[in-house]
Amino acid sequence: MSCAPDGSRLPGAVRAAADRAGQRAGRLTISTRLALVTSLLTFTILFGFATAVGSLTIRRIRDNFDSQVTTSADELKDQIQFTNQGQVVAPRILLAAALVDHAVIQVDEVSGTNMGSFGTNDNRPMNLGTVYTMPPLATVNGYRVATVPFNATVGDILGNFYLQYARPESAIDSTVNRVRLLLVLGVLAGSGLALVASLMIARRAMSPIARLTSTAAEIAATRDPSLTLPEPVADDEVAELARTLQGMLQELDAARGETEAALEMQRRFVADASHELRTPLTSVLANLELLADTLQGEQGDAARSALRSSRRMRRLVADLLLLARADAGRATEHAPTDLGQVVLEAVTELQILAEDHPITVDVQRVLVDGARDELHRVALNLIENAVKYTPPGGRIEVHTRRTAGGEAELVVKDNGPGVPDTIADRLFERFVRGTGDRGGSSGLGLAIVRAVAESHSGRVWLERPTEGGSRFVVRLPALDDRPPASAEPTASLTTA
Protein backbone atom coordinates (compact mmCIF):
# COMPACT_ATOMS: atom_id res chain seq x y z
CA MET A 1 0.00 0.00 0.00
CA SER A 2 1.38 3.43 -0.93
CA CYS A 3 0.82 6.64 0.94
CA ALA A 4 1.68 10.31 0.63
CA PRO A 5 5.23 11.25 1.63
CA ASP A 6 3.80 13.43 4.40
CA GLY A 7 0.65 11.60 5.22
CA SER A 8 0.45 13.11 8.68
CA ARG A 9 0.10 16.62 7.27
CA LEU A 10 -2.35 15.78 4.52
CA PRO A 11 -5.52 15.80 6.69
CA GLY A 12 -4.51 19.15 8.21
CA ALA A 13 -3.95 20.64 4.76
CA VAL A 14 -7.32 19.32 3.61
CA ARG A 15 -9.02 20.81 6.66
CA ALA A 16 -7.27 24.14 6.12
CA ALA A 17 -8.37 24.21 2.48
CA ALA A 18 -11.94 23.37 3.53
CA ASP A 19 -11.86 26.14 6.15
CA ARG A 20 -10.65 28.66 3.57
CA ALA A 21 -13.35 27.57 1.16
CA GLY A 22 -15.94 27.90 3.93
CA GLN A 23 -14.69 31.38 4.78
CA ARG A 24 -14.88 32.44 1.14
CA ALA A 25 -18.40 31.03 0.91
CA GLY A 26 -19.33 32.77 4.16
CA ARG A 27 -18.33 36.15 2.69
CA LEU A 28 -20.85 35.74 -0.16
CA THR A 29 -24.24 37.36 0.17
CA ILE A 30 -27.32 35.25 0.72
CA SER A 31 -28.68 36.13 -2.73
CA THR A 32 -25.42 35.05 -4.36
CA ARG A 33 -25.36 31.79 -2.44
CA LEU A 34 -28.98 31.07 -3.36
CA ALA A 35 -28.23 31.78 -7.02
CA LEU A 36 -25.16 29.52 -6.94
CA VAL A 37 -27.08 26.68 -5.31
CA THR A 38 -29.93 27.06 -7.80
CA SER A 39 -27.59 27.09 -10.78
CA LEU A 40 -25.72 24.07 -9.39
CA LEU A 41 -28.99 22.14 -9.03
CA THR A 42 -29.99 23.18 -12.55
CA PHE A 43 -26.62 22.07 -13.88
CA THR A 44 -26.98 18.69 -12.13
CA ILE A 45 -30.47 18.15 -13.54
CA LEU A 46 -29.49 19.23 -17.06
CA PHE A 47 -26.32 17.13 -16.94
CA GLY A 48 -28.28 14.03 -15.99
CA PHE A 49 -30.91 14.74 -18.62
CA ALA A 50 -28.26 15.39 -21.31
CA THR A 51 -26.41 12.21 -20.36
CA ALA A 52 -29.55 10.09 -20.72
CA VAL A 53 -30.74 11.80 -23.89
CA GLY A 54 -27.25 11.73 -25.38
CA SER A 55 -26.83 8.01 -24.70
CA LEU A 56 -30.19 7.18 -26.26
CA THR A 57 -29.62 9.45 -29.26
CA ILE A 58 -26.12 8.15 -29.96
CA ARG A 59 -27.31 4.57 -29.63
CA ARG A 60 -30.17 5.28 -32.04
CA ILE A 61 -27.78 6.89 -34.54
CA ARG A 62 -25.45 3.92 -34.41
CA ASP A 63 -28.33 1.46 -34.76
CA ASN A 64 -29.62 3.34 -37.80
CA PHE A 65 -26.13 3.33 -39.29
CA ASP A 66 -25.78 -0.42 -38.79
CA SER A 67 -29.24 -0.94 -40.28
CA GLN A 68 -28.27 1.13 -43.33
CA VAL A 69 -25.05 -0.85 -43.80
CA THR A 70 -26.85 -4.20 -43.51
CA THR A 71 -29.71 -3.13 -45.81
CA SER A 72 -27.29 -1.82 -48.42
CA ALA A 73 -25.34 -5.08 -48.33
CA ASP A 74 -28.53 -7.13 -48.79
CA GLU A 75 -29.63 -4.97 -51.72
CA LEU A 76 -26.24 -4.94 -53.42
CA LYS A 77 -25.67 -8.69 -53.31
CA ASP A 78 -28.53 -9.16 -55.79
CA GLN A 79 -26.77 -6.85 -58.26
CA ILE A 80 -23.56 -8.87 -58.45
CA GLN A 81 -22.93 -10.57 -61.85
CA PHE A 82 -20.03 -12.71 -63.09
CA THR A 83 -18.61 -13.30 -66.54
CA ASN A 84 -17.88 -16.78 -67.85
CA GLN A 85 -14.29 -16.24 -66.88
CA GLY A 86 -15.30 -15.52 -63.22
CA GLN A 87 -14.82 -11.79 -63.24
CA VAL A 88 -17.20 -9.56 -61.29
CA VAL A 89 -19.22 -7.20 -63.43
CA ALA A 90 -19.62 -3.79 -61.74
CA PRO A 91 -23.08 -2.43 -62.49
CA ARG A 92 -23.57 1.32 -62.47
CA ILE A 93 -25.69 1.16 -59.33
CA LEU A 94 -22.88 -0.66 -57.53
CA LEU A 95 -20.33 2.00 -58.38
CA ALA A 96 -22.76 4.82 -57.49
CA ALA A 97 -23.36 3.30 -54.06
CA ALA A 98 -19.65 3.09 -53.42
CA LEU A 99 -19.05 6.70 -54.44
CA VAL A 100 -21.98 8.30 -52.61
CA ASP A 101 -21.43 6.63 -49.26
CA HIS A 102 -17.61 6.51 -49.50
CA ALA A 103 -18.09 2.81 -49.15
CA VAL A 104 -15.94 -0.19 -50.02
CA ILE A 105 -17.54 -3.21 -51.72
CA GLN A 106 -15.68 -6.48 -51.92
CA VAL A 107 -16.71 -9.91 -53.31
CA ASP A 108 -14.90 -13.05 -52.06
CA GLU A 109 -15.24 -16.76 -52.52
CA VAL A 110 -15.91 -18.97 -49.56
CA SER A 111 -12.24 -19.92 -49.60
CA GLY A 112 -11.32 -16.23 -49.21
CA THR A 113 -10.20 -15.56 -52.77
CA ASN A 114 -11.03 -12.01 -53.76
CA MET A 115 -13.18 -11.81 -56.82
CA GLY A 116 -13.34 -8.02 -57.07
CA SER A 117 -13.31 -4.78 -55.12
CA PHE A 118 -15.03 -1.43 -55.67
CA GLY A 119 -14.63 1.88 -53.97
CA THR A 120 -10.85 1.97 -53.53
CA ASN A 121 -8.70 4.18 -55.69
CA ASP A 122 -6.80 1.34 -57.26
CA ASN A 123 -9.51 -1.34 -57.01
CA ARG A 124 -7.28 -3.47 -54.89
CA PRO A 125 -8.90 -5.68 -52.30
CA MET A 126 -8.91 -4.34 -48.73
CA ASN A 127 -8.20 -6.38 -45.65
CA LEU A 128 -11.74 -6.54 -44.34
CA GLY A 129 -11.28 -9.89 -42.60
CA THR A 130 -11.64 -13.54 -43.44
CA VAL A 131 -15.08 -13.93 -44.83
CA TYR A 132 -15.94 -17.34 -43.38
CA THR A 133 -15.00 -16.16 -39.86
CA MET A 134 -16.53 -12.69 -40.06
CA PRO A 135 -19.73 -12.00 -38.12
CA PRO A 136 -22.61 -10.46 -40.03
CA LEU A 137 -21.64 -7.01 -38.71
CA ALA A 138 -18.21 -5.97 -37.44
CA THR A 139 -15.79 -3.03 -37.23
CA VAL A 140 -12.52 -3.46 -39.13
CA ASN A 141 -9.84 -0.78 -39.66
CA GLY A 142 -12.26 2.09 -39.02
CA TYR A 143 -14.99 0.63 -41.23
CA ARG A 144 -18.35 -0.83 -40.31
CA VAL A 145 -18.45 -4.06 -42.34
CA ALA A 146 -21.58 -6.07 -43.20
CA THR A 147 -20.85 -9.58 -44.56
CA VAL A 148 -23.68 -11.41 -46.39
CA PRO A 149 -23.49 -14.74 -48.30
CA PHE A 150 -25.06 -15.19 -51.73
CA ASN A 151 -25.11 -17.72 -54.59
CA ALA A 152 -24.18 -16.88 -58.13
CA THR A 153 -23.55 -18.81 -61.41
CA VAL A 154 -20.10 -18.56 -62.90
CA GLY A 155 -20.26 -20.12 -66.33
CA ASP A 156 -22.30 -23.24 -65.71
CA ILE A 157 -21.28 -23.69 -62.10
CA LEU A 158 -23.29 -22.37 -59.12
CA GLY A 159 -20.89 -21.01 -56.54
CA ASN A 160 -21.08 -19.69 -53.00
CA PHE A 161 -19.76 -16.16 -52.42
CA TYR A 162 -19.69 -13.41 -49.76
CA LEU A 163 -20.30 -9.73 -50.26
CA GLN A 164 -18.66 -7.34 -47.82
CA TYR A 165 -20.08 -3.85 -47.67
CA ALA A 166 -17.98 -1.42 -45.58
CA ARG A 167 -18.70 2.23 -44.73
CA PRO A 168 -16.28 4.47 -42.76
CA GLU A 169 -17.30 5.19 -39.18
CA SER A 170 -15.88 8.73 -39.44
CA ALA A 171 -19.19 9.90 -40.92
CA ILE A 172 -21.18 8.71 -37.92
CA ASP A 173 -18.48 9.82 -35.47
CA SER A 174 -18.78 13.41 -36.67
CA THR A 175 -22.55 13.23 -36.17
CA VAL A 176 -22.09 11.81 -32.66
CA ASN A 177 -19.57 14.55 -31.80
CA ARG A 178 -21.97 17.23 -32.99
CA VAL A 179 -24.71 15.78 -30.80
CA ARG A 180 -22.39 15.73 -27.79
CA LEU A 181 -21.26 19.31 -28.43
CA LEU A 182 -24.85 20.52 -28.70
CA LEU A 183 -25.76 18.78 -25.46
CA VAL A 184 -22.75 20.26 -23.61
CA LEU A 185 -23.53 23.74 -24.91
CA GLY A 186 -27.15 23.30 -23.91
CA VAL A 187 -26.22 22.27 -20.37
CA LEU A 188 -23.81 25.21 -19.97
CA ALA A 189 -26.23 27.72 -21.48
CA GLY A 190 -29.09 26.45 -19.33
CA SER A 191 -26.94 26.65 -16.18
CA GLY A 192 -25.78 30.17 -17.08
CA LEU A 193 -29.34 31.35 -17.69
CA ALA A 194 -30.41 29.73 -14.43
CA LEU A 195 -27.60 31.59 -12.60
CA VAL A 196 -28.57 34.97 -14.06
CA ALA A 197 -32.27 34.42 -13.44
CA SER A 198 -31.61 33.20 -9.90
CA LEU A 199 -29.48 36.26 -9.13
CA MET A 200 -32.23 38.59 -10.34
CA ILE A 201 -34.95 36.75 -8.46
CA ALA A 202 -32.88 36.43 -5.27
CA ARG A 203 -31.92 40.10 -5.26
CA ARG A 204 -35.51 41.10 -5.84
CA ALA A 205 -36.62 38.79 -3.03
CA MET A 206 -33.88 40.16 -0.71
CA SER A 207 -34.59 43.84 -1.48
CA PRO A 208 -37.01 44.21 1.50
CA ILE A 209 -34.34 42.82 3.80
CA ALA A 210 -31.80 45.22 2.25
CA ARG A 211 -34.14 48.12 3.06
CA LEU A 212 -34.50 46.85 6.61
CA THR A 213 -30.71 46.61 6.90
CA SER A 214 -30.24 50.16 5.59
CA THR A 215 -32.75 51.56 8.06
CA ALA A 216 -31.19 49.56 10.91
CA ALA A 217 -27.77 50.98 9.99
CA GLU A 218 -29.23 54.49 10.04
CA ILE A 219 -30.72 53.83 13.48
CA ALA A 220 -27.34 52.55 14.70
CA ALA A 221 -25.60 55.66 13.33
CA THR A 222 -28.12 58.17 14.72
CA ARG A 223 -29.06 56.17 17.84
CA ASP A 224 -32.63 57.15 17.19
CA PRO A 225 -34.97 54.18 17.76
CA SER A 226 -37.97 56.35 16.89
CA LEU A 227 -37.28 55.82 13.17
CA THR A 228 -39.83 53.66 11.36
CA LEU A 229 -38.76 50.52 9.56
CA PRO A 230 -40.14 50.02 6.02
CA GLU A 231 -42.78 47.30 5.93
CA PRO A 232 -42.96 45.17 2.76
CA VAL A 233 -46.16 45.16 0.74
CA ALA A 234 -46.46 41.38 0.77
CA ASP A 235 -47.67 39.84 4.03
CA ASP A 236 -44.90 37.26 4.31
CA GLU A 237 -42.06 36.31 6.67
CA VAL A 238 -40.12 39.49 5.88
CA ALA A 239 -43.14 41.63 6.76
CA GLU A 240 -43.49 39.73 10.03
CA LEU A 241 -39.82 40.36 10.75
CA ALA A 242 -40.25 44.09 10.02
CA ARG A 243 -43.25 44.30 12.38
CA THR A 244 -41.35 42.46 15.11
CA LEU A 245 -38.31 44.74 14.79
CA GLN A 246 -40.54 47.82 14.77
CA GLY A 247 -42.19 46.68 17.98
CA MET A 248 -38.80 46.04 19.55
CA LEU A 249 -37.60 49.53 18.56
CA GLN A 250 -40.71 51.10 20.06
CA GLU A 251 -40.13 49.28 23.34
CA LEU A 252 -36.45 50.29 23.31
CA ASP A 253 -37.40 53.89 22.64
CA ALA A 254 -39.83 53.84 25.54
CA ALA A 255 -37.24 52.21 27.81
CA ARG A 256 -34.64 54.77 26.78
CA GLY A 257 -37.04 57.60 27.54
CA GLU A 258 -37.77 56.18 30.96
CA THR A 259 -34.06 55.70 31.66
CA GLU A 260 -33.20 59.22 30.55
CA ALA A 261 -35.99 60.65 32.69
CA ALA A 262 -34.75 58.70 35.70
CA LEU A 263 -31.15 59.79 35.10
CA GLU A 264 -32.23 63.38 34.66
CA MET A 265 -34.10 63.24 37.97
CA GLN A 266 -31.04 61.71 39.61
CA ARG A 267 -28.75 64.40 38.19
CA ARG A 268 -31.05 67.16 39.38
CA PHE A 269 -31.28 65.55 42.80
CA VAL A 270 -27.50 65.24 43.14
CA ALA A 271 -26.94 68.80 41.93
CA ASP A 272 -29.63 70.23 44.20
CA ALA A 273 -28.56 68.15 47.19
CA SER A 274 -24.90 69.09 46.73
CA HIS A 275 -25.85 72.74 46.45
CA GLU A 276 -28.03 72.61 49.55
CA LEU A 277 -25.30 70.83 51.54
CA ARG A 278 -22.83 73.65 51.02
CA THR A 279 -24.58 76.07 53.40
CA PRO A 280 -24.80 73.75 56.45
CA LEU A 281 -21.27 72.48 55.80
CA THR A 282 -19.98 76.05 55.82
CA SER A 283 -21.67 76.63 59.17
CA VAL A 284 -20.31 73.37 60.57
CA LEU A 285 -16.78 74.22 59.41
CA ALA A 286 -16.95 77.66 60.98
CA ASN A 287 -18.06 76.22 64.32
CA LEU A 288 -15.43 73.46 64.20
CA GLU A 289 -12.68 75.97 63.41
CA LEU A 290 -13.77 78.01 66.44
CA LEU A 291 -13.83 74.93 68.66
CA ALA A 292 -10.44 73.73 67.36
CA ASP A 293 -8.91 77.10 68.31
CA THR A 294 -10.50 77.35 71.76
CA LEU A 295 -10.56 73.78 73.06
CA GLN A 296 -7.48 72.07 74.45
CA GLY A 297 -6.49 68.46 75.14
CA GLU A 298 -8.60 65.58 73.93
CA GLN A 299 -11.54 67.83 73.15
CA GLY A 300 -9.36 69.99 70.95
CA ASP A 301 -7.98 66.91 69.16
CA ALA A 302 -11.49 65.66 68.54
CA ALA A 303 -12.56 69.05 67.18
CA ARG A 304 -9.54 69.25 64.88
CA SER A 305 -10.21 65.67 63.64
CA ALA A 306 -13.82 66.57 62.93
CA LEU A 307 -12.62 69.72 61.18
CA ARG A 308 -10.37 67.68 58.85
CA SER A 309 -13.22 65.28 58.04
CA SER A 310 -15.61 68.17 57.43
CA ARG A 311 -13.13 69.85 55.08
CA ARG A 312 -12.78 66.59 53.18
CA MET A 313 -16.57 66.33 53.04
CA ARG A 314 -16.80 69.90 51.72
CA ARG A 315 -14.30 69.00 49.01
CA LEU A 316 -16.25 65.86 48.11
CA VAL A 317 -19.54 67.78 47.99
CA ALA A 318 -17.95 70.39 45.75
CA ASP A 319 -16.67 67.67 43.44
CA LEU A 320 -20.06 65.99 43.29
CA LEU A 321 -21.75 69.33 42.62
CA LEU A 322 -19.38 70.05 39.74
CA LEU A 323 -19.89 66.61 38.19
CA ALA A 324 -23.65 66.78 38.70
CA ARG A 325 -23.78 70.14 36.94
CA ALA A 326 -21.73 68.74 34.08
CA ASP A 327 -24.03 65.70 33.77
CA ALA A 328 -27.14 67.86 33.90
CA GLY A 329 -25.72 70.19 31.26
CA ARG A 330 -25.88 73.24 33.51
CA ALA A 331 -23.42 75.68 32.01
CA THR A 332 -21.38 77.86 34.35
CA GLU A 333 -20.87 81.46 33.37
CA HIS A 334 -17.76 81.80 31.20
CA ALA A 335 -15.46 84.78 30.80
CA PRO A 336 -12.04 85.42 29.23
CA THR A 337 -9.55 83.83 31.63
CA ASP A 338 -5.78 83.70 31.62
CA LEU A 339 -4.93 80.01 31.94
CA GLY A 340 -1.34 80.77 32.96
CA GLN A 341 -2.47 82.93 35.87
CA VAL A 342 -4.88 80.22 37.00
CA VAL A 343 -2.02 77.70 37.03
CA LEU A 344 0.17 80.04 39.09
CA GLU A 345 -2.58 80.43 41.68
CA ALA A 346 -3.02 76.63 41.88
CA VAL A 347 0.74 76.10 42.39
CA THR A 348 0.80 78.74 45.12
CA GLU A 349 -2.12 77.01 46.89
CA LEU A 350 -0.32 73.66 46.85
CA GLN A 351 3.09 74.85 47.98
CA ILE A 352 2.60 73.55 51.52
CA LEU A 353 1.38 70.14 50.31
CA ALA A 354 4.28 69.88 47.83
CA GLU A 355 7.01 71.00 50.17
CA ASP A 356 9.12 67.87 49.43
CA HIS A 357 8.41 67.91 45.67
CA PRO A 358 10.21 70.54 43.54
CA ILE A 359 7.71 72.05 41.09
CA THR A 360 9.02 73.78 37.96
CA VAL A 361 6.49 76.19 36.46
CA ASP A 362 6.79 77.75 33.00
CA VAL A 363 3.57 79.47 31.98
CA GLN A 364 2.63 81.82 29.16
CA ARG A 365 -0.34 84.09 29.08
CA VAL A 366 -3.02 82.43 27.01
CA LEU A 367 -6.70 83.41 27.18
CA VAL A 368 -9.56 80.95 27.13
CA ASP A 369 -13.31 81.39 27.41
CA GLY A 370 -14.06 79.51 30.61
CA ALA A 371 -15.13 79.40 34.24
CA ARG A 372 -12.20 80.49 36.39
CA ASP A 373 -13.13 78.31 39.38
CA GLU A 374 -13.49 75.20 37.25
CA LEU A 375 -10.20 75.80 35.44
CA HIS A 376 -8.56 76.36 38.81
CA ARG A 377 -9.94 72.99 39.90
CA VAL A 378 -8.43 71.35 36.79
CA ALA A 379 -4.96 72.69 37.48
CA LEU A 380 -5.27 71.94 41.21
CA ASN A 381 -6.36 68.35 40.65
CA LEU A 382 -3.63 67.58 38.12
CA ILE A 383 -0.82 69.04 40.27
CA GLU A 384 -2.20 67.46 43.44
CA ASN A 385 -2.46 64.11 41.65
CA ALA A 386 1.22 64.38 40.59
CA VAL A 387 2.25 65.22 44.18
CA LYS A 388 0.32 62.27 45.63
CA TYR A 389 1.74 59.66 43.30
CA THR A 390 5.32 60.94 43.07
CA PRO A 391 7.77 59.83 45.80
CA PRO A 392 9.41 62.56 47.93
CA GLY A 393 12.13 64.32 45.98
CA GLY A 394 10.48 63.66 42.62
CA ARG A 395 10.23 66.58 40.23
CA ILE A 396 7.01 67.99 38.82
CA GLU A 397 6.85 70.23 35.75
CA VAL A 398 3.90 72.47 34.86
CA HIS A 399 3.61 74.68 31.81
CA THR A 400 1.03 76.41 29.65
CA ARG A 401 1.38 77.65 26.08
CA ARG A 402 -0.50 78.40 22.90
CA THR A 403 -0.13 75.64 20.32
CA ALA A 404 0.37 76.17 16.61
CA GLY A 405 -3.24 75.06 16.09
CA GLY A 406 -4.59 77.93 18.18
CA GLU A 407 -5.30 75.94 21.35
CA ALA A 408 -4.40 76.59 24.95
CA GLU A 409 -2.34 73.73 26.37
CA LEU A 410 -1.78 72.84 30.03
CA VAL A 411 0.81 70.11 30.74
CA VAL A 412 1.58 68.53 34.12
CA LYS A 413 4.51 66.10 34.08
CA ASP A 414 6.14 64.07 36.86
CA ASN A 415 8.92 61.49 37.09
CA GLY A 416 7.08 59.14 39.42
CA PRO A 417 6.32 55.44 38.88
CA GLY A 418 3.74 56.20 36.20
CA VAL A 419 0.20 54.92 35.74
CA PRO A 420 -0.26 51.12 36.03
CA ASP A 421 -1.56 49.35 32.95
CA THR A 422 -4.47 47.95 34.97
CA ILE A 423 -6.12 51.37 35.33
CA ALA A 424 -4.69 53.28 32.35
CA ASP A 425 -7.78 52.70 30.20
CA ARG A 426 -10.24 53.87 32.87
CA LEU A 427 -8.08 56.50 34.55
CA PHE A 428 -10.56 59.32 33.90
CA GLU A 429 -13.55 57.39 35.21
CA ARG A 430 -15.11 58.22 38.55
CA PHE A 431 -13.91 56.70 41.82
CA VAL A 432 -10.77 55.21 40.24
CA ARG A 433 -7.81 55.40 42.60
CA GLY A 434 -4.24 54.25 42.14
CA THR A 435 -2.48 51.89 44.53
CA GLY A 436 0.03 54.59 45.49
CA ASP A 437 -2.55 57.10 46.69
CA ARG A 438 -1.21 58.39 49.98
CA GLY A 439 -3.86 61.07 50.44
CA GLY A 440 -6.98 58.90 50.57
CA SER A 441 -8.65 60.76 47.69
CA SER A 442 -12.19 60.10 46.50
CA GLY A 443 -11.08 59.13 43.01
CA LEU A 444 -13.00 62.02 41.43
CA GLY A 445 -10.08 64.33 40.61
CA LEU A 446 -9.31 63.16 37.06
CA ALA A 447 -13.01 62.63 36.33
CA ILE A 448 -13.52 66.30 37.16
CA VAL A 449 -10.62 67.25 34.90
CA ARG A 450 -12.23 65.45 31.98
CA ALA A 451 -15.71 66.85 32.74
CA VAL A 452 -14.42 70.43 32.88
CA ALA A 453 -12.31 69.99 29.74
CA GLU A 454 -15.26 68.63 27.81
CA SER A 455 -17.60 71.35 29.10
CA HIS A 456 -15.06 73.87 27.73
CA SER A 457 -15.04 72.08 24.31
CA GLY A 458 -11.61 70.64 25.07
CA ARG A 459 -10.02 67.31 25.81
CA VAL A 460 -7.53 65.69 28.16
CA TRP A 461 -5.33 62.63 27.78
CA LEU A 462 -2.47 60.79 29.42
CA GLU A 463 0.96 60.31 27.89
CA ARG A 464 3.57 57.96 29.29
CA PRO A 465 7.07 59.19 28.36
CA THR A 466 9.77 56.66 27.57
CA GLU A 467 11.91 57.96 30.44
CA GLY A 468 9.11 57.12 32.91
CA GLY A 469 6.53 59.03 34.88
CA SER A 470 3.27 60.51 33.63
CA ARG A 471 2.36 63.45 31.44
CA PHE A 472 -1.19 64.85 31.50
CA VAL A 473 -2.15 67.16 28.64
CA VAL A 474 -5.22 69.43 28.60
CA ARG A 475 -6.10 71.40 25.48
CA LEU A 476 -8.83 74.03 25.31
CA PRO A 477 -9.89 76.41 22.53
CA ALA A 478 -7.95 79.66 22.89
CA LEU A 479 -9.48 83.07 22.30
CA ASP A 480 -8.48 84.73 19.06
CA ASP A 481 -8.44 88.28 20.42
CA ARG A 482 -5.14 87.86 22.26
CA PRO A 483 -2.66 90.74 22.73
CA PRO A 484 0.47 90.92 20.56
CA ALA A 485 3.16 88.40 21.38
CA SER A 486 5.47 91.12 22.70
CA ALA A 487 2.87 92.04 25.31
CA GLU A 488 2.29 88.50 26.62
CA PRO A 489 3.73 88.12 30.09
CA THR A 490 5.67 84.96 30.75
CA ALA A 491 6.27 83.51 34.22
CA SER A 492 8.80 80.88 35.19
CA LEU A 493 9.48 79.74 38.74
CA THR A 494 10.66 76.76 40.70
CA THR A 495 9.31 75.88 44.14
CA ALA A 496 11.18 73.71 46.60
Side-chain angles (χ1 to χ4, degrees):
M1 179 182 296
S2 61
C3 62
D6 192 3
S8 60
R9 297 183 181 179
L10 184 58
V14 173
R15 285 195 299 270
D19 293 340
R20 289 193 296 270
Q23 292 174 359
R24 287 193 295 269
R27 288 193 294 266
L28 298 176
T29 61
I30 294 178
S31 58
T32 304
R33 279 182 280 176
L34 288 175
L36 290 176
V37 171
T38 303
S39 61
L40 181 60
L41 291 176
T42 304
F43 174 80
T44 303
I45 295 172
L46 290 179
F47 180 79
F49 179 77
T51 302
V53 171
S55 300
L56 294 175
T57 303
I58 292 173
R59 183 180 301 176
R60 183 63 179 269
I61 292 174
R62 294 190 181 278
D63 290 343
N64 289 340
F65 183 74
D66 291 343
S67 177
Q68 291 175 5
V69 171
T70 303
T71 302
S72 298
D74 288 335
E75 292 177 353
L76 291 174
K77 68 179 178 61
D78 296 331
Q79 304 297 326
I80 299 298
Q81 298 177 3
F82 291 90
T83 63
N84 293 331
Q85 289 77 22
Q87 295 178 350
V88 178
V89 178
R92 186 179 299 274
I93 188 173
L94 199 62
L95 296 176
L99 291 175
V100 171
D101 297 331
H102 303 284
V104 176
I105 304 171
Q106 187 168 298
V107 178
D108 296 326
E109 286 185 331
V110 176
S111 61
T113 302
N114 180 259
M115 304 298 292
S117 297
F118 307 95
T120 59
N121 292 333
D122 51 4
N123 289 332
R124 289 184 301 176
M126 296 184 63
N127 186 15
L128 298 179
T130 306
V131 292
Y132 52 83
T133 59
M134 286 286 292
L137 199 61
T139 300
V140 179
N141 297 330
Y143 283 83
R144 194 64 172 166
V145 182
T147 303
V148 292
F150 68 96
N151 298 324
T153 302
V154 180
D156 296 330
I157 302 173
L158 181 64
N160 297 324
F161 301 93
Y162 286 92
L163 179 125
Q164 289 182 305
Y165 179 79
R167 286 182 60 183
E169 289 190 328
S170 57
I172 191 174
D173 288 341
S174 61
T175 303
V176 169
N177 290 334
R178 284 195 297 271
V179 170
R180 287 174 177 170
L181 178 60
L182 290 176
L183 290 174
V184 170
L185 293 178
V187 170
L188 295 179
S191 301
L193 292 175
L195 177 60
V196 174
S198 300
L199 280 173
M200 297 176 60
I201 295 173
R203 288 177 180 175
R204 184 177 180 83
M206 295 296 292
S207 58
I209 297 180
R211 290 194 293 270
L212 289 177
T213 303
S214 176
T215 306
E218 183 180 357
I219 293 174
T222 60
R223 295 187 176 183
D224 184 10
S226 62
L227 294 176
T228 302
L229 292 174
E231 185 173 344
V233 178
D235 190 10
D236 52 7
E237 292 84 353
V238 178
E240 182 65 24
L241 174 62
R243 289 192 291 267
T244 303
L245 291 177
Q246 186 63 49
M248 181 188 69
L249 289 176
Q250 292 175 355
E251 295 299 326
L252 289 176
D253 191 22
R256 188 184 70 167
E258 296 173 358
T259 302
E260 290 180 350
L263 288 175
E264 181 61 26
M265 292 178 59
Q266 182 181 3
R267 295 189 190 104
R268 288 199 300 267
F269 170 76
V270 174
D272 295 340
S274 300
H275 180 75
E276 295 298 328
L277 283 174
R278 297 178 66 182
T279 301
L281 275 177
T282 302
S283 177
V284 170
L285 283 171
N287 292 328
L288 287 176
E289 288 174 354
L290 179 62
L291 290 175
D293 293 336
T294 57
L295 295 178
Q296 302 295 328
E298 294 182 357
Q299 292 180 345
D301 294 339
R304 284 185 285 275
S305 177
L307 179 61
R308 289 192 296 270
S309 298
S310 297
R311 286 174 176 170
R312 186 168 179 269
M313 183 182 298
R314 181 178 63 180
R315 178 74 177 272
L316 179 60
V317 169
D319 291 345
L320 291 175
L321 178 60
L322 193 152
L323 290 174
R325 285 176 175 173
D327 291 341
R330 298 182 181 181
T332 309
E333 184 178 357
H334 287 193
T337 305
D338 182 5
L339 185 61
Q341 185 63 36
V342 171
V343 170
L344 285 176
E345 294 173 359
V347 172
T348 303
E349 183 177 342
L350 290 174
Q351 280 185 353
I352 298 177
L353 178 63
E355 57 184 3
D356 54 352
H357 296 79
I359 302 179
T360 300
V361 182
D362 182 9
V363 294
Q364 297 179 1
R365 182 177 184 272
V366 53
L367 293 179
V368 296
D369 183 26
R372 189 180 189 88
D373 291 340
E374 293 182 358
L375 295 176
H376 179 80
R377 180 66 61 82
V378 168
L380 199 68
N381 286 356
L382 288 176
I383 300 172
E384 186 179 12
N385 186 75
V387 171
K388 287 180 180 179
Y389 293 99
T390 303
R395 299 190 62 84
I396 299 173
E397 300 177 6
V398 183
H399 76 260
T400 61
R401 67 182 182 92
R402 179 186 291 270
T403 65
E407 292 181 307
E409 182 180 75
L410 165 61
V411 176
V412 178
K413 179 182 177 183
D414 62 72
N415 61 350
V419 179
D421 294 336
T422 55
I423 64 171
D425 295 337
R426 52 189 185 93
L427 187 63
F428 294 97
E429 297 178 4
R430 300 175 186 183
F431 303 106
V432 175
R433 290 184 287 269
T435 56
D437 183 8
R438 301 185 303 276
S441 65
S442 62
L444 296 175
L446 295 179
I448 290 175
V449 171
R450 183 175 67 176
V452 173
E454 291 177 351
S455 67
H456 286 70
S457 302
R459 59 196 188 280
V460 59
W461 67 88
L462 167 68
E463 296 178 355
R464 290 189 278 187
T466 55
E467 63 272 15
S470 302
R471 188 173 186 269
F472 289 89
V473 182
V474 179
R475 285 190 180 177
L476 306 174
L479 292 178
D480 294 333
D481 55 344
R482 56 176 179 162
S486 59
E488 294 183 0
T490 302
S492 299
L493 60 91
T494 301
T495 65

